[in-house]
Amino acid sequence: MSSLTDLSMLELAAKLASREVSSVEATRASLQRIAQVDPKVRAFLRVDEAGALKAAEASDARRQAGSPLSALDGVPLGLKDIFLTEGVETTCGSRILEGFVPPYDATVVRLLKEAGLPLVGKLNMDEFAMGSSNESSAYFPTHNPWDLTRTPGGSSGGSAAAVAAREVFGALGTDTGGSIRQPAAFTNTVGLKPTYGRVSRYGVIAFASSLDQPGPMARTVGDTAALFQLIARHDPLDSTSANVETPDCLTGLEDGVRGLRLGVPREYFADGMDPEVAGTLRASLEELEKLGATLVDVSLPHTKYALATYYLLSSSEASSNLARYDGIRYGLRAKDARGLKELYTQTRGQGFGAEAKRRIMLGTYALSAGYYDAYYLRAQKVRTLIREDFTKVFQQVDAIVSPTSPVPAFKLGAKVDDPLSMYLMDVYTLPCNLAGLPGLSVPCGFTQAGLPIGMQLLGRPFDEARLLRIARAFEREHDFFRRAAPV
């Protein structure tokens, strides 16, 4: 493994600033690492070698002239294939968008380019971000660098696997019900799901518009904070973008947890959790207490309804958002269709995979005239109750601590034929999305078999800086991020 690819983003940025290393060298190291391990990991759908090297050369020229665009100027990054990228095929992991080349950049992609980061390529994902294992990708499943027979999680599994395998220094993912945090927990990486509205969704291919949120994935808490600061901007092109100041998450990152009250929700430590995950989480809680935090037993009573609420609402929004893929405007068009109706049905039948079809059908049913009140409207009311649970708890505590996933990474193929079992993988992450809150997963240990375990932190709206500070206090006591995956 190249020693360059072992560096964190901030470590590489320091070497770029001192001119000890060039961006071209770092980008070539990343590309060489991809060539070496990606045939086994399969994190990338496509690599933009020419574009990345061109951006790296421009970064080196700016460094030489003493005018870098940002502290991370020249640090190579990967993008989940859900972000529109001008001139680069963007498929959202689906056959129905095969061959689609966007004419413009998503806002977060534009911000990264304006900060000078070379974008190495597009990363694999569950089709339209629907899945918890990356197995619903229309192209191929991604493998977990810690055990190639296991999933890296989903839907941002390609992003997590690429970071864990040292193929890129960081990546962007999206989180609709845990799709940044669960893969982070499975791969010994850090994943931040920002507050809804904190990061622009403009140019992000939609799954469920009231739940989707882009966020950073990296190997350290500091890298995650630095990357988050680049993309957390108000965007007038996104009507749901919050007009709040960009946070300074790095200044107070080392302030520790002394004096903070951390809630431990009893509903998140229920039956069904893997014993090693439960034991590691309880040891982590004791460690936070030793570092000066106060643990508070709290209750989120409507958590038991979150799974059903989430899948009703997200599937309803998906059925509406995915109606645009009709074979007329962009992407796949069925050949030999005789008439408009046949064009619609054949294009959608050929282009969507089984999971996308399942959710479109469920959502269409929930929104239908006879069932709207019984399902969709009732789910929205329960969503309000879930949000109120969090509001009450945050009157008592500064943050909430829980497992990220009830189990470590599971075997590829183990749940692909059991959708309900797959949906349960998000049971601890999706309430945060329903409430629009920030959530973060940080590595907290390993099973006896060497599989990573993640700890989840949930915070008040727009309080990402506090979550990063808590995560950094825990990270300081360990060397998890220095442990390289055995791939």
Side-chain angles (χ1 to χ4, degrees):
M1 183 188 294
S2 167
S3 59
L4 262 184
T5 59
D6 283 335
L7 297 173
S8 71
M9 293 176 67
L10 291 178
E11 288 169 341
L12 176 59
K15 289 184 180 293
L16 291 170
S18 66
R19 308 286 302 284
E20 184 180 340
V21 171
S22 72
S23 179
V24 168
E25 288 173 327
T27 303
R28 287 196 186 281
S30 181
L31 292 167
Q32 288 168 4
R33 179 67 178 162
I34 292 167
Q36 177 190 354
V37 304
D38 208 59
K40 294 180 286 186
V41 176
R42 309 205 78 182
F44 278 87
L45 287 175
R46 60 200 63 86
V47 175
D48 184 17
E49 180 173 349
L53 288 172
K54 182 179 179 181
E57 290 168 359
S59 174
D60 287 337
R62 289 190 295 272
R63 293 277 186 188
Q64 188 169 6
S67 56
L69 295 172
S70 71
L72 296 181
D73 194 337
V75 176
L77 207 70
L79 293 173
K80 184 177 181 178
D81 197 34
I82 200 168
F83 298 102
L84 298 190
T85 310
E86 184 179 356
V88 179
E89 184 183 8
T90 302
T91 66
C92 210
S94 179
R95 292 287 181 194
I96 207 161
L97 278 174
E98 199 166 28
F100 172 60
V101 179
Y104 64 94
D105 286 325
T107 294
V108 289
V109 176
R110 175 180 59 79
L111 290 171
L112 293 175
K113 289 181 177 180
E114 289 175 354
L117 283 76
L119 304 177
V120 176
K122 308 304 287 290
L123 293 156
N124 198 16
M125 57 179 287
D126 285 296
E127 183 178 15
F128 285 101
M130 298 175 185
S132 303
S133 68
N134 243 67
E135 291 172 283
S136 75
S137 168
Y139 299 96
F140 44 78
T142 298
H143 299 259
N144 193 321
W146 291 91
D147 180 345
L148 293 172
T149 68
R150 295 179 184 268
T151 173
S155 62
S156 304
S159 299
V163 173
R166 309 307 209 241
E167 294 180 302
V168 287
F169 295 86
L172 288 192
T174 60
D175 194 310
T176 307
S179 290
I180 285 175
R181 289 160 289 152
Q182 184 244 30
F186 281 6
T187 57
N188 194 48
T189 54
V190 181
L192 172 64
K193 180 259 169 198
T195 307
Y196 183 78
R198 171 71 95 171
V199 178
S200 173
R201 292 185 299 109
Y202 180 75
V204 181
I205 297 173
F207 163 19
S209 301
S210 75
L211 300 163
D212 300 340
Q213 187 62 198
M217 306 182 77
R219 292 204 300 273
T220 73
V221 175
D223 288 358
T224 306
L227 189 51
F228 170 62
Q229 287 186 182
L230 288 183
I231 61 173
R233 298 282 192 279
H234 173 60
D235 182 12
L237 297 175
D238 175 4
S239 63
T240 61
S241 176
N243 192 3
V244 293
E245 287 187 17
T246 299
D248 181 359
C249 297
L250 291 171
T251 299
L253 197 60
E254 303 294 339
D255 287 354
V257 297
R258 187 164 301 280
L260 294 182
R261 293 170 60 82
L262 304 180
V264 182
R266 60 184 74 110
E267 291 83 2
Y268 283 47
F269 288 84
D271 295 338
M273 193 191 307
D274 179 271
E276 287 189 272
V277 171
T280 301
L281 257 293
R282 296 204 180 278
S284 300
L285 289 170
E286 291 173 6
E287 191 164 345
L288 287 168
E289 198 168 27
K290 289 176 184 175
L291 291 172
T294 300
L295 301 183
V296 181
D297 180 56
V298 298
S299 177
L300 297 165
H302 293 94
T303 295
K304 60 185 176 182
Y305 304 115
L307 192 71
T309 300
Y310 171 84
Y311 278 99
L312 274 169
L313 295 178
S314 64
S315 297
S316 296
E317 293 183 24
S319 75
S320 175
N321 279 325
L322 271 59
R324 71 192 69 176
Y325 304 109
D326 53 12
I328 302 294
R329 286 165 282 194
Y330 33 64
L332 178 73
R333 175 176 292 192
K335 297 178 181 178
D336 304 321
R338 295 171 297 180
L340 188 61
K341 184 177 180 180
E342 199 169 297
L343 175 64
Y344 288 163
T345 56
Q346 287 189 15
T347 296
R348 291 168 69 81
Q350 295 168 19
F352 288 129
E355 185 60 32
K357 290 175 182 175
R358 183 181 294 118
R359 300 203 196 192
I360 290 169
M361 292 173 68
L362 175 61
T364 303
Y365 180 83
L367 291 174
S368 60
Y371 299 98
Y372 180 92
D373 288 353
Y375 292 107
Y376 181 78
L377 190 60
R378 184 171 295 181
Q380 288 286 24
K381 292 177 179 178
V382 176
R383 181 180 191 173
T384 300
L385 295 175
I386 292 168
R387 186 183 298 116
E388 289 174 351
D389 283 350
F390 281 107
T391 300
K392 290 174 184 175
V393 166
F394 281 123
Q395 292 172 359
Q396 309 170 46
V397 300
D398 299 298
I400 292 170
V401 186
S402 81
T404 306
S405 169
V407 298
F410 48 90
K411 292 277 188 180
L412 288 165
K415 301 179 185 296
V416 71
D417 295 321
D418 185 357
L420 291 180
S421 176
M422 186 77 81
Y423 296 167
L424 285 167
M425 294 302 97
D426 298 329
V427 66
Y428 298 139
T429 54
L430 53 83
C432 161
N433 297 78
L434 289 168
L437 301 174
L440 179 148
S441 181
V442 63
C444 69
F446 292 84
T447 67
Q448 288 185 350
L451 298 175
I453 297 172
M455 175 171 67
Q456 178 176 231
L457 303 171
L458 305 177
R460 298 186 182 101
F462 305 107
D463 201 12
E464 291 88 356
R466 195 192 306 265
L467 298 186
L468 289 159
R469 170 185 155 194
I470 297 167
R472 174 58 187 149
F474 185 83
E475 180 187 63
R476 265 201 311 264
E477 305 298 312
H478 302 279
D479 64 348
F480 296 137
F481 84 98
R482 288 293 182 196
R483 291 181 61 172
V487 65

